[in-house]
Amino acid sequence: MDIKVIGVVGSGNMGSGIAQVAAQAGFAVIMRDIEDSFVQRGLNAIKKNLERAVDKGKIGKKEAEEIVGRIRGTVNLEDLDKSDLVIEAAVEDIEVKKEIFEGLDRICSPDTVLASNTSGLSISEMALATRRPDKVAGMHFFNPAPVMKLVEVTKGAVTSEDTFELIMNISRAMGKEPIAVNEAPLFVVNRILIPMINEAAYVLLEGVASAEDIDKGMTLGANHPLGPLALADLVGIDVLLAVQDTLYKETGDSKYRVCPLIRKMVRAGHLGRKSGRGFYSYQ
């Protein structure tokens, strides 16, 4: 299948980042969100990213303008009807995603492939909301999408081999390095990463070491570019909680129980960088 037009549902950090990556790879992009203010914020984020790239000499001004010119924003899901591939990057809520997939299935051509940027929810369950479950797959980019090279390509229970290979090839066309994943809670990276951050929170809660020393231990001792608690602040403590809860619920394994400190911080509104306070203060 020849992919020319890519739809993106969601214009937040991930949605706008994916739209930018697709446009930079030469695809026509239609980026949709539920409010025009969200769409404009996403478009502005893309423009700022490209302006920084121009300032650093990574791309020319004309190229940046051409990339922006390939992206169209909309609040109407129906405007995605001519898309060859649609990548959903909405909130991590399975019911919201199923509703989106049901709508996309209704308006898009039967040949259109549907992908989700979910970081760990069930592709099979989303696919069941459509009449084309064989054409549904996971396509999980990492934040920030224009920078991070990895894409987890996930097969649902009935994802066809053709769909899987198409998503793998589109990922490469976008300049990414895809890895093949069979559906499981949180896939690969988050399945390993989230429990590590959770354990770091337990080490802090138990008074074994300070946040600063925990992160220093992992950056200097394990060669991580960022310590687990600083990473949690960057991702968002609320996001971390939701993902960890999903892992615990899906597996029923007590080893994935959320550290009480993480839940307490979310209830206090200490969500990390975006709230000005998390494991560290950003005032």
Side-chain angles (χ1 to χ4, degrees):
M1 182 178 178
D2 187 19
I3 303 295
K4 294 181 179 178
V5 180
I6 294 179
V8 178
V9 179
S11 61
N13 287 339
M14 292 307 302
S16 63
I18 293 167
Q20 178 183 329
V21 168
Q24 283 183 273
F27 298 100
V29 179
I30 304 168
M31 183 175 70
R32 182 262 182 181
D33 213 319
I34 56 175
E35 291 185 20
D36 186 62
S37 61
F38 298 164
V39 175
Q40 294 306 316
R41 189 187 308 158
L43 291 171
N44 288 335
I46 293 169
K47 290 174 184 175
K48 287 179 181 177
N49 285 342
L50 294 172
E51 286 170 4
R52 282 194 292 268
V54 171
D55 291 341
K56 293 178 181 178
K58 293 182 178 180
I59 60 173
K61 187 175 181 180
K62 183 180 179 183
E63 183 182 353
E65 291 171 351
E66 290 173 348
I67 292 167
V68 172
R70 285 194 283 270
I71 304 171
R72 178 163 70 93
T74 182
V75 295
N76 299 313
L77 195 68
E78 291 74 15
D79 288 343
L80 303 180
D81 64 346
K82 297 296 190 295
S83 301
D84 303 307
L85 165 67
V86 180
I87 304 169
E88 170 273 317
V91 63
E92 281 289 275
D93 182 313
I94 191 66
E95 296 304 323
V96 171
K97 290 180 185 295
K98 284 161 63 176
E99 184 178 344
I100 291 169
F101 273 80
E102 184 179 5
L104 291 170
D105 183 63
R106 187 172 60 252
I107 66 172
C108 292
S109 160
D111 294 327
T112 300
V113 171
L114 307 178
S116 176
N117 181 58
T118 179
S119 60
L121 297 176
S122 173
I123 300 302
S124 300
E125 188 171 349
M126 292 178 219
L128 200 60
T130 76
R131 295 162 294 179
R132 64 183 87 194
D134 59 314
K135 288 184 169 62
V136 179
M139 191 178 187
H140 179 215
F141 292 77
F142 286 75
N143 191 25
V147 176
M148 300 295 280
K149 297 293 288 184
L150 181 66
V151 173
E152 288 179 319
V153 180
T154 306
K155 285 183 179 180
V158 294
T159 303
S160 72
E161 195 61 34
D162 285 346
T163 297
F164 174 74
E165 287 299 328
L166 183 141
I167 299 297
M168 291 286 281
N169 289 333
I170 289 295
S171 299
R172 295 187 185 104
M174 291 181 179
K176 302 303 181 184
E177 292 286 342
I179 60 172
V181 181
N182 290 315
E183 183 177 307
L186 302 197
F187 310 145
V188 173
V189 175
N190 282 336
R191 177 72 172 268
I192 298 167
L193 180 64
I194 297 300
M196 183 194 74
I197 297 174
N198 194 57
E199 193 63 29
Y202 269 118
V203 172
L204 179 64
L205 177 65
E206 293 167 9
V208 177
S210 67
E212 291 81 0
D213 282 349
I214 291 168
D215 281 350
K216 186 185 290 185
M218 293 306 292
T219 55
L220 300 182
N223 206 29
H224 290 193
L226 192 65
L229 300 180
L231 178 59
D233 280 355
L234 180 63
V235 170
I237 311 298
D238 53 337
V239 175
L240 176 67
L241 174 62
V243 174
Q244 183 80 24
D245 272 341
T246 296
L247 182 58
Y248 181 58
K249 179 183 175 183
E250 288 287 325
T251 63
D253 194 327
S254 61
K255 72 180 180 181
Y256 296 127
R257 182 174 65 93
V258 177
C259 175
L261 177 59
I262 290 175
R263 201 176 301 280
K264 180 179 179 181
M265 291 173 68
V266 171
R267 287 171 175 166
H270 301 163
L271 309 181
R273 288 180 180 268
K274 60 186 173 185
S275 70
R277 181 175 176 184
F279 290 105
Y280 297 93
S281 177
Y282 302 93
Q283 299 298 336

